[in-house]
Amino acid sequence: NTYQIEGYVETGGGTGISGVSMSGLPGEPLTDVDGYYTAFVDHDWSGTVTPALEGYTFDPSSAIYSNVSEDQNQDYTAILNTYQIDGYVRTGEGTGISGVNMSGLPGEPLTDVDGYYMAEVEFGVNTTVTPALDGYTFSPTSTDYSPVEDDETTDYTGTRDPYLTVSESMLSLGQEAGSNSMVDISSNVDWSVICPETWITFSQESGTGDASLTVTANSENISTESRSAMVTVTDGVLSRNFSVTQSGSGPFLETSALEL
């Protein structure tokens, strides 16, 4: 006599999985489009049947048959595997960059304070992951996963784009010579200070990176009106301006004697 061993391989939602190899059965049949499989074994057959398809785990993982003497039915649940994509986004000096959007990963996670990111994706997914944060350029610019078949780790190096800012848009100085005020420069480039007026001086006329710039009036403003100058801080491409105004003396009228 021969007996039939049959069943279905389906997802948890009841969708049949085709192409599953039923290893251990005679001829190692594959499931059809509905997830159905069948095979015939001789009386008293014994063996272990193990469903197999790349990217899937099955429940049960296998079925053991001992001395088969009647038809058998065994169904399996197919569980699609998930894999982890993770890594770090750091500066060239190794400092983690937080808040980087990892576009292309499920949920578009952001890097944490250490620059670490992580997401889980299903087997077979094709995706391109692109790190993004205003003011930064990344290397590599993106990573293609086509398809995902295992855990993946990719690190990125972030480089700050050139920037130049000044802390004030307007400074005010007193009428007297030596009156001064300060403006902070924040930058990652070489910069210089440009001003056509000679009645003000600067604690430094060029620099690299961050600096505190002291602006000083080198002469008294004897005019009744205030005077102003426009100052430009530039690296040749980026430019930031601020104005400096020195107070005048204001209207006045005096006589040399009280009585003649």
Side-chain angles (χ1 to χ4, degrees), residues 202-257:
F202 307 95
S203 57
Q204 60 185 97
E205 295 187 352
S206 62
T208 300
D210 298 342
S212 292
L213 188 68
T214 301
V215 183
T216 303
N218 58 23
S219 63
E220 178 186 6
N221 183 10
I222 61 175
S223 171
T224 60
E225 301 293 333
S226 62
R227 58 183 175 181
S228 297
M230 183 61 67
V231 181
T232 300
V233 182
T234 181
D235 72 339
V237 178
L238 300 173
S239 294
R240 299 293 182 264
N241 299 323
F242 65 93
S243 64
V244 180
T245 301
Q246 184 182 21
S247 301
S249 62
F252 67 92
L253 175 65
E254 297 178 353
T255 59
S256 61

Coordinates of all heavy atoms in Angstrom, one line a residue, residues 202-257:
F202 N 39.2 97.1 14.2 CA 38.8 95.7 14.6 C 39.9 95.0 15.3 O 41.1 95.2 15.0 CB 38.3 94.9 13.4 CG 37.3 95.7 12.5 CD1 37.7 96.4 11.4 CD2 35.9 95.6 12.9 CE1 36.7 97.1 10.7 CE2 35.0 96.3 12.1 CZ 35.4 97.0 11.0
S203 N 39.5 94.2 16.3 CA 40.5 93.5 17.1 C 41.3 92.5 16.2 O 42.4 92.1 16.5 CB 39.9 92.8 18.3 OG 38.8 91.9 17.8
Q204 N 40.7 92.0 15.1 CA 41.4 91.2 14.1 C 40.6 91.4 12.8 O 39.4 91.6 12.8 CB 41.4 89.8 14.5 CG 40.1 89.1 14.7 CD 40.3 87.6 15.2 OE1 40.2 87.4 16.4 NE2 40.5 86.7 14.3
E205 N 41.4 91.4 11.7 CA 40.8 91.7 10.4 C 40.7 90.4 9.6 O 40.2 90.4 8.5 CB 41.7 92.7 9.7 CG 41.6 94.1 10.3 CD 42.3 95.1 9.5 OE1 42.9 94.8 8.5 OE2 42.2 96.3 9.9
S206 N 41.1 89.3 10.1 CA 40.9 88.0 9.5 C 41.0 86.9 10.5 O 41.5 87.1 11.6 CB 42.0 87.8 8.4 OG 43.3 87.8 8.9
G207 N 40.6 85.7 10.2 CA 40.7 84.6 11.1 C 40.2 83.3 10.5 O 39.8 83.2 9.3
T208 N 40.2 82.2 11.3 CA 39.7 80.9 10.9 C 38.8 80.4 12.0 O 39.2 80.4 13.2 CB 40.8 79.9 10.7 OG1 41.7 80.4 9.6 CG2 40.3 78.6 10.2
G209 N 37.6 80.0 11.6 CA 36.7 79.4 12.6 C 36.0 80.5 13.4 O 35.8 81.6 13.0
D210 N 35.7 80.1 14.7 CA 35.0 81.0 15.6 C 35.9 82.1 16.1 O 37.1 81.9 16.3 CB 34.3 80.2 16.7 CG 33.3 79.2 16.2 OD1 32.9 79.3 15.1 OD2 33.0 78.3 17.0
A211 N 35.3 83.3 16.4 CA 36.0 84.4 17.0 C 35.1 85.4 17.6 O 33.9 85.5 17.2 CB 36.9 85.0 16.0
S212 N 35.6 86.1 18.6 CA 34.9 87.3 19.1 C 35.6 88.5 18.6 O 36.7 88.8 18.9 CB 34.8 87.2 20.7 OG 34.1 86.2 21.1
L213 N 34.9 89.3 17.8 CA 35.4 90.5 17.2 C 35.0 91.8 17.9 O 33.9 92.1 18.1 CB 35.0 90.6 15.7 CG 35.6 91.6 14.8 CD1 37.0 91.2 14.5 CD2 34.8 91.7 13.5
T214 N 36.1 92.5 18.4 CA 35.8 93.8 19.1 C 35.9 94.9 18.1 O 36.9 95.1 17.4 CB 36.8 94.0 20.2 OG1 36.7 93.0 21.2 CG2 36.5 95.3 20.9
V215 N 34.9 95.7 18.0 CA 34.8 96.9 17.1 C 35.0 98.2 18.0 O 34.2 98.4 18.9 CB 33.5 96.9 16.4 CG1 33.5 98.1 15.4 CG2 33.3 95.6 15.6
T216 N 35.9 99.0 17.6 CA 36.3 100.2 18.4 C 36.3 101.4 17.6 O 36.8 101.5 16.4 CB 37.7 100.0 19.0 OG1 37.7 98.8 19.8 CG2 38.0 101.2 20.0
A217 N 35.7 102.5 18.2 CA 35.8 103.8 17.5 C 37.1 104.4 17.8 O 37.5 104.6 19.0 CB 34.6 104.7 18.0
N218 N 37.9 104.8 16.8 CA 39.3 105.3 17.1 C 39.3 106.8 17.1 O 40.4 107.4 17.3 CB 40.3 104.7 16.1 CG 39.9 105.0 14.7 OD1 39.2 106.0 14.4 ND2 40.4 104.2 13.7
S219 N 38.1 107.4 17.0 CA 38.1 108.9 17.1 C 36.7 109.3 17.6 O 35.7 108.6 17.5 CB 38.4 109.6 15.7 OG 37.4 109.2 14.8
E220 N 36.7 110.5 18.2 CA 35.4 111.0 18.7 C 34.6 111.5 17.5 O 35.1 112.1 16.5 CB 35.7 112.2 19.7 CG 34.5 112.9 20.2 CD 34.8 114.1 21.0 OE1 36.0 114.5 21.1 OE2 33.9 114.7 21.6
N221 N 33.3 111.3 17.6 CA 32.4 111.9 16.6 C 32.0 113.3 17.0 O 31.2 113.5 17.9 CB 31.2 111.0 16.5 CG 30.3 111.5 15.4 OD1 30.6 112.3 14.6 ND2 29.1 110.9 15.3
I222 N 32.6 114.3 16.4 CA 32.4 115.7 16.8 C 31.1 116.3 16.1 O 30.7 117.4 16.4 CB 33.6 116.6 16.5 CG1 33.9 116.5 15.0 CG2 34.8 116.1 17.3 CD1 35.0 117.5 14.6
S223 N 30.6 115.5 15.2 CA 29.4 115.9 14.5 C 28.2 115.8 15.4 O 28.1 115.0 16.4 CB 29.2 115.1 13.3 OG 27.9 115.4 12.7
T224 N 27.2 116.7 15.2 CA 25.9 116.6 15.9 C 25.1 115.3 15.5 O 24.2 114.9 16.2 CB 25.1 117.8 15.7 OG1 24.8 118.0 14.4 CG2 25.8 119.0 16.3
E225 N 25.4 114.8 14.3 CA 24.7 113.7 13.8 C 25.5 112.4 14.0 O 26.8 112.4 14.1 CB 24.5 113.8 12.3 CG 23.7 115.1 11.9 CD 22.2 115.0 12.4 OE1 21.7 113.9 12.5 OE2 21.7 116.1 12.6
S226 N 24.8 111.3 14.2 CA 25.5 110.0 14.3 C 26.1 109.6 12.9 O 25.7 110.1 11.9 CB 24.5 108.9 14.8 OG 23.5 108.7 13.8
R227 N 27.1 108.7 12.9 CA 27.7 108.2 11.7 C 27.6 106.7 11.7 O 27.7 106.0 12.7 CB 29.1 108.7 11.5 CG 30.1 108.4 12.6 CD 31.4 109.1 12.3 NE 32.3 108.9 13.4 CZ 33.6 109.3 13.4 NH1 34.0 110.1 12.4 NH2 34.4 109.1 14.5
S228 N 27.5 106.1 10.5 CA 27.4 104.7 10.4 C 28.3 104.1 9.4 O 28.8 104.8 8.4 CB 25.9 104.3 10.0 OG 25.0 104.7 11.0
A229 N 28.6 102.8 9.5 CA 29.5 102.1 8.6 C 28.9 100.7 8.5 O 28.3 100.1 9.4 CB 30.9 102.0 9.1
M230 N 29.1 100.1 7.2 CA 28.7 98.7 7.0 C 29.9 97.9 7.0 O 30.9 98.2 6.3 CB 27.9 98.6 5.7 CG 27.4 97.2 5.4 SD 26.2 96.6 6.6 CE 24.8 97.7 6.3
V231 N 29.9 96.8 7.8 CA 31.0 95.9 7.9 C 30.6 94.5 7.2 O 29.5 94.0 7.5 CB 31.4 95.7 9.3 CG1 32.6 94.7 9.4 CG2 31.7 97.0 10.0
T232 N 31.5 94.0 6.4 CA 31.3 92.7 5.8 C 32.3 91.7 6.3 O 33.5 92.0 6.3 CB 31.4 92.8 4.3 OG1 30.4 93.7 3.8 CG2 31.1 91.5 3.6
V233 N 31.8 90.5 6.7 CA 32.7 89.4 7.0 C 32.5 88.4 5.9 O 31.3 87.9 5.7 CB 32.4 88.8 8.4 CG1 33.3 87.7 8.8 CG2 32.4 89.9 9.5
T234 N 33.6 87.9 5.3 CA 33.4 87.1 4.1 C 34.6 86.1 3.9 O 35.7 86.4 4.4 CB 33.3 87.9 2.8 OG1 33.1 87.1 1.7 CG2 34.5 88.8 2.6
D235 N 34.3 85.0 3.3 CA 35.3 84.1 2.9 C 35.6 84.1 1.4 O 36.3 83.2 0.9 CB 35.0 82.6 3.4 CG 33.9 82.0 2.6 OD1 33.1 82.7 1.9 OD2 33.8 80.7 2.6
G236 N 34.9 85.0 0.8 CA 35.0 85.1 -0.7 C 33.8 84.6 -1.4 O 33.5 84.9 -2.5
V237 N 33.1 83.7 -0.7 CA 31.8 83.1 -1.2 C 30.7 83.5 -0.3 O 29.7 84.1 -0.7 CB 31.9 81.6 -1.4 CG1 30.6 81.0 -1.9 CG2 33.1 81.3 -2.4
L238 N 30.8 83.1 1.0 CA 29.8 83.4 2.0 C 30.1 84.8 2.5 O 31.3 85.2 2.7 CB 29.9 82.4 3.1 CG 29.6 81.0 2.8 CD1 29.8 80.1 4.0 CD2 28.2 80.8 2.3
S239 N 29.1 85.6 2.7 CA 29.2 87.0 3.2 C 28.1 87.3 4.2 O 27.0 86.9 4.0 CB 29.2 88.0 2.1 OG 30.3 87.9 1.2
R240 N 28.5 87.9 5.4 CA 27.6 88.3 6.4 C 27.9 89.8 6.7 O 29.1 90.2 6.9 CB 27.7 87.5 7.6 CG 27.4 86.0 7.4 CD 25.9 85.8 7.0 NE 25.6 84.4 6.8 CZ 25.6 83.8 5.6 NH1 25.9 84.5 4.5 NH2 25.3 82.5 5.5
N241 N 26.8 90.6 6.8 CA 27.0 92.1 7.1 C 26.4 92.4 8.4 O 25.5 91.8 8.9 CB 26.3 92.9 6.0 CG 26.8 92.6 4.6 OD1 28.1 92.4 4.4 ND2 26.0 92.6 3.6
F242 N 27.0 93.5 9.0 CA 26.4 94.1 10.2 C 26.8 95.6 10.1 O 27.9 96.0 9.6 CB 26.9 93.5 11.5 CG 28.3 93.6 11.8 CD1 28.8 94.6 12.6 CD2 29.2 92.6 11.4 CE1 30.2 94.7 12.9 CE2 30.6 92.6 11.7 CZ 31.1 93.7 12.4
S243 N 25.9 96.4 10.7 CA 26.2 97.9 10.7 C 26.7 98.3 12.1 O 26.4 97.8 13.1 CB 24.9 98.7 10.4 OG 23.9 98.5 11.4
V244 N 27.5 99.4 12.0 CA 28.1 100.0 13.2 C 27.7 101.5 13.2 O 28.0 102.2 12.2 CB 29.6 99.9 13.3 CG1 30.2 100.5 14.6 CG2 30.0 98.4 13.2
T245 N 27.1 102.0 14.3 CA 26.7 103.4 14.4 C 27.3 104.0 15.6 O 27.3 103.4 16.7 CB 25.1 103.5 14.5 OG1 24.5 102.9 13.4 CG2 24.7 104.9 14.6
Q246 N 28.0 105.2 15.4 CA 28.5 105.9 16.5 C 27.7 107.2 16.7 O 27.4 107.9 15.8 CB 30.0 106.3 16.2 CG 30.7 107.0 17.4 CD 32.1 107.5 17.1 OE1 32.5 107.6 15.9 NE2 32.9 107.7 18.1
S247 N 27.3 107.4 18.0 CA 26.5 108.5 18.3 C 27.2 109.9 18.1 O 28.4 110.0 18.2 CB 26.1 108.5 19.8 OG 25.4 107.3 20.1
G248 N 26.4 110.9 17.7 CA 27.0 112.2 17.5 C 26.8 113.0 18.8 O 26.3 112.5 19.8
S249 N 27.3 114.2 18.8 CA 27.2 115.0 20.1 C 25.9 115.5 20.4 O 25.5 115.9 21.5 CB 28.2 116.2 19.9 OG 27.8 117.0 18.9
G250 N 25.0 115.6 19.4 CA 23.7 116.2 19.5 C 23.7 117.7 19.5 O 24.8 118.3 19.6
P251 N 22.6 118.4 19.2 CA 22.6 119.9 19.1 C 23.0 120.5 20.5 O 22.7 120.0 21.5 CB 21.1 120.2 18.8 CG 20.5 118.9 18.3 CD 21.3 117.8 19.0
F252 N 23.8 121.6 20.4 CA 24.2 122.3 21.6 C 24.4 123.7 21.3 O 24.7 124.1 20.1 CB 25.4 121.7 22.3 CG 26.7 121.8 21.5 CD1 27.5 122.9 21.7 CD2 27.1 120.8 20.5 CE1 28.7 123.0 20.9 CE2 28.2 121.0 19.8 CZ 29.1 122.1 20.0
L253 N 24.3 124.6 22.3 CA 24.6 126.0 22.2 C 25.1 126.5 23.4 O 24.6 126.4 24.5 CB 23.2 126.8 21.9 CG 23.3 128.3 21.8 CD1 24.1 128.7 20.6 CD2 21.9 128.8 21.6
E254 N 26.3 127.1 23.4 CA 27.0 127.7 24.5 C 27.5 129.1 24.3 O 27.7 129.5 23.2 CB 28.2 126.8 24.9 CG 27.8 125.3 25.3 CD 29.1 124.5 25.6 OE1 30.2 125.0 25.4 OE2 28.9 123.4 26.1
T255 N 27.6 129.9 25.4 CA 28.2 131.2 25.3 C 29.4 131.2 26.1 O 29.5 130.5 27.1 CB 27.2 132.3 25.7 OG1 26.9 132.0 27.1 CG2 26.0 132.4 24.9
S256 N 30.4 132.1 25.8 CA 31.7 132.1 26.5 C 31.6 132.9 27.8 O 32.4 132.8 28.7 CB 32.7 132.8 25.6 OG 32.4 134.1 25.3
A257 N 30.5 133.6 28.0 CA 30.4 134.4 29.3 C 28.9 134.5 29.7 O 28.0 134.5 28.8 CB 31.0 135.8 29.1

